[in-house]
Amino acid sequence: MLQTNMEIAQNIRALAKSRGVTVKQTLADCKINRNFIYDLEHGNSSPSVDKISRIADYFGVGTAALLGGEATDGAGQRGAIAEFLDLYKRLSPEDKAALRDYMRKLLESGD
């Protein structure tokens, strides 16, 4: 279900907080006007597909995480991919490389 502009703004704020960045930094990194969240919250504008996509890409989530809350499976659980990405982002660069190597080996052994 699509959210109201206020709820979209809240989802963006929550993602920023959970990732340890400010909304201001998020918008600057995404090259979006700093008033974007204010305008959403006060009904002055609606988000464009481009802006929602840029923000979702910035956080490494699907657009559903912004437009409809966290994507879930049929049982109401967070998607496995979103959970994996959250865990992956917390790894050190060395551990990320080791995990990628391990995954490649798993895929090669399946051939």
Side-chain angles (χ1 to χ4, degrees), residues 11-74:
N11 291 340
I12 294 168
R13 286 186 188 282
L15 278 168
K17 183 176 181 179
S18 74
R19 304 299 164 91
V21 297
T22 64
V23 172
K24 182 178 178 179
Q25 185 62 51
T26 298
L27 296 176
D29 290 346
C30 293
K31 298 181 180 12
I32 296 173
N33 184 297
R34 67 178 185 218
N35 295 326
F36 176 72
I37 297 293
Y38 177 89
D39 288 343
L40 283 179
E41 292 173 333
H42 292 86
N44 298 335
S45 71
S46 293
S48 69
V49 171
D50 176 59
K51 288 178 183 173
I52 292 296
S53 293
R54 281 190 270 163
I55 294 169
D57 288 346
Y58 179 79
F59 289 119
V61 300
T63 55
L66 301 177
L67 298 176
E70 189 70 49
T72 60
D73 62 20

